[in-house]
Amino acid sequence: MRIKGVLFDFSGTLFRAESTDSWLRAVLRDAGLTLPDDELTAAARALDAVGAMPGGGRPGRVPEGLDELWRTRDRSTELHRAAYTAVSRQVSLPGPGLHDALYERHMVPEAWDPYPDAAEVVAALRGRGVAVGVVSNIGWDLRPVFREHGLDPYVGTYVLSYEHGIQKPDPRLFGVACDALGVAPEDTVMVGDDRRADGGAAALGCEVFFVDHLPVAGRPEGLRPVLGLVG
């Protein structure tokens, strides 16, 4: 089989969100607020523990009565914001608007770093004539992140759950991406960090390759094996 297309997940695969500490510090700074170091560290740890930062890791504790909202959060911008701000509000912060500010912060390009080999791998794929797409469960437009970090020229299509009202692992979302790239699923590899969500591509006939959702410094070469799959 000759691979003609590669689909990538966004968070934890091509990019990693900033640390929770950095996220909170940036929002406090922009609001003109300060916290003693021990209180800031405690608040950041609490936000991390409940999974308040979108893209920061696995989901944390879901507030009682919001299970359905959490389960469907990636189907629209409204659901995504509501779910994550509800989770964030489990943690007390020194200002009522800070939870919304945290949500806004996670959407800016500066809040994201590409993995060290991300640009190299997507550029090499395009150089070999392989189509590249991004398939993400998300509630906002990630295209500016790719433009800011120089990866956008290599991406042929972005298939984002909130734009289609469908979220991974639904095979239909991967089908939209394959159709947009003009490649058959059986000639395509899906690369992601979530075995359930990204593994849904296998039901469509795609090969699936998993990477570990690690901090950027801890995974310098996790994507390079994808080039070996292409040949």
Side-chain angles (χ1 to χ4, degrees):
M1 178 180 70
R2 186 188 186 286
I3 296 300
K4 299 177 181 177
V6 178
L7 305 176
F8 289 96
D9 173 52
F10 168 53
S11 176
T13 299
L14 288 176
F15 285 83
R16 170 77 185 221
E18 65 185 328
S19 69
T20 311
D21 184 272
S22 172
W23 181 47
L24 179 57
R25 285 181 186 275
V27 167
L28 290 172
R29 181 188 65 240
D30 291 346
L33 298 172
T34 58
L35 281 178
D37 283 346
D38 59 339
E39 292 184 24
L40 190 147
T41 298
R45 287 177 177 171
L47 288 167
D48 194 49
V50 298
M53 184 176 190
R58 301 300 181 209
R61 189 170 66 248
V62 180
E64 186 176 352
L66 294 181
D67 289 341
E68 179 65 13
L69 173 63
W70 185 258
R71 187 180 67 80
T72 62
R73 67 192 181 278
D74 296 311
R75 294 183 185 174
S76 75
T77 56
E78 295 80 12
L79 291 171
H80 196 265
R81 178 184 287 272
Y84 278 103
T85 53
V87 169
S88 174
R89 287 190 176 94
Q90 295 176 101
V91 178
S92 178
L93 296 176
L98 291 179
H99 298 286
D100 287 313
L102 284 169
Y103 186 84
E104 294 294 332
R105 165 71 188 181
H106 99 275
M107 295 186 287
V108 303
E110 295 76 21
W112 296 89
D113 288 312
Y115 281 93
D117 55 347
E120 169 195 339
V121 169
V122 294
L125 289 171
R126 293 301 298 121
R128 298 181 187 184
V130 177
V132 172
V134 171
V135 183
S136 178
N137 278 352
I138 199 166
W140 49 277
D141 186 5
L142 52 70
R143 295 171 182 86
V145 176
F146 280 75
R147 289 196 290 268
E148 178 70 20
H149 292 283
L151 274 68
D152 180 66
Y154 308 110
V155 179
T157 190
Y158 296 92
V159 177
L160 312 181
S161 60
Y162 82 97
E163 294 182 336
H164 298 274
I166 306 169
Q167 60 188 51
K168 298 181 290 186
D170 192 321
R172 291 178 295 170
L173 202 64
F174 305 104
V176 170
C178 289
D179 289 345
L181 292 178
V183 296
E186 58 268 24
D187 298 328
T188 303
V189 178
M190 174 66 205
V191 182
D193 68 300
D194 189 318
R195 278 164 170 74
R196 178 180 179 275
D198 300 312
L204 194 67
C206 299
E207 186 175 348
V208 182
F209 179 82
F210 295 109
V211 294
D212 294 321
H213 189 131
L214 295 172
V216 166
R219 209 195 74 195
E221 299 182 343
L223 292 167
R224 287 181 183 162
V226 174
L227 298 177
L229 297 176
V230 172

